[in-house]
Amino acid sequence: MESSAPKLEMSPPIGIERIDHVGIAVADLDEAIAFYGRVFGMRCVHEEVNEEQGVREAMLSVGPTPAGGCLQLLAPLSPASTIAKFLERNGPGMQQLAYTVTDIDAASAALRERGVRLLYEEPKRGTAGSKVNFVHPKDAGGVLVELVEPNRAASSMGH
């Protein structure tokens, strides 16, 4: 049976492996960890402070293991942080959708060749020593898309 859906022009893949995590902006990290544990049974598998990004963060396993994906809770370290500004504008809620990529430099180059703006010229340090960059929301249908190349040596979260 033939599909009636129109044939879309597809570009070559950029090295996306899977959905890595969904980022949720929260005002109080400890309160949010307790809520997701109590209500959804999610287990905190990693917690850290990322001074460069201005956040205290936690990764919660969505399934029995982090290989099933994670929820990233992000709380601001100061009123000047990006997450604090997000909370001020929007209140708590979904802040980003992140994809695991095999090579962040190659993925970034491919996106730039396609006219997509990235927030950083060079990747920054992300959770657990990963390398990250972000696609400008105006170039991704209003969604802040994060590209994550895991630190393969510190792959404790199923990346």
Side-chain angles (χ1 to χ4, degrees), residues 93-155:
M94 185 173 153
Q95 188 262 344
Q96 56 168 276
L97 173 61
Y99 297 114
T100 302
V101 296
T102 52
D103 179 337
I104 196 161
D105 295 320
S108 297
L111 290 170
R112 285 187 178 110
E113 285 172 12
R114 296 171 191 179
V116 174
R117 292 174 290 171
L118 299 176
L119 298 189
Y120 307 130
E121 191 59 40
E122 297 292 326
K124 303 255 186 199
R125 182 197 160 294
T127 306
S130 63
K131 294 195 304 187
V132 301
N133 207 336
F134 295 86
V135 174
H136 196 291
K138 289 184 178 172
D139 291 353
V143 176
L144 179 63
V145 172
E146 181 179 8
L147 305 173
V148 180
E149 181 183 323
N151 176 354
R152 304 287 178 192
S155 184

Side-chain angles (χ1 to χ4, degrees), residues 1-158:
M1 175 182 261
E2 279 193 40
S3 170
S4 61
K7 298 281 184 202
L8 299 177
E9 183 181 322
M10 298 290 291
S11 296
I14 65 165
I16 292 175
E17 296 177 346
R18 68 186 189 101
I19 293 175
D20 189 271
H21 65 270
V22 174
I24 307 290
V26 300
D28 184 311
L29 187 65
D30 296 320
E31 187 178 291
I33 291 170
F35 170 80
Y36 282 95
R38 183 179 68 253
V39 174
F40 298 107
M42 292 183 187
R43 180 175 56 87
C44 183
V45 294
H46 181 81
E47 205 175 321
E48 73 177 80
V49 171
N50 186 326
E51 297 282 349
E52 184 179 12
Q53 299 290 330
V55 296
R56 182 169 162 238
E57 63 179 274
M59 291 295 230
L60 281 61
S61 179
V62 172
T65 71
C70 287
L71 192 67
Q72 180 186 45
L73 303 175
L74 300 154
L77 288 178
S78 76
S81 78
T82 302
I83 292 298
K85 292 173 186 167
F86 177 92
L87 287 166
E88 190 176 297
R89 246 186 349 265
N90 306 298
M94 185 173 153
Q95 188 262 344
Q96 56 168 276
L97 173 61
Y99 297 114
T100 302
V101 296
T102 52
D103 179 337
I104 196 161
D105 295 320
S108 297
L111 290 170
R112 285 187 178 110
E113 285 172 12
R114 296 171 191 179
V116 174
R117 292 174 290 171
L118 299 176
L119 298 189
Y120 307 130
E121 191 59 40
E122 297 292 326
K124 303 255 186 199
R125 182 197 160 294
T127 306
S130 63
K131 294 195 304 187
V132 301
N133 207 336
F134 295 86
V135 174
H136 196 291
K138 289 184 178 172
D139 291 353
V143 176
L144 179 63
V145 172
E146 181 179 8
L147 305 173
V148 180
E149 181 183 323
N151 176 354
R152 304 287 178 192
S155 184
S156 64
M157 288 180 294

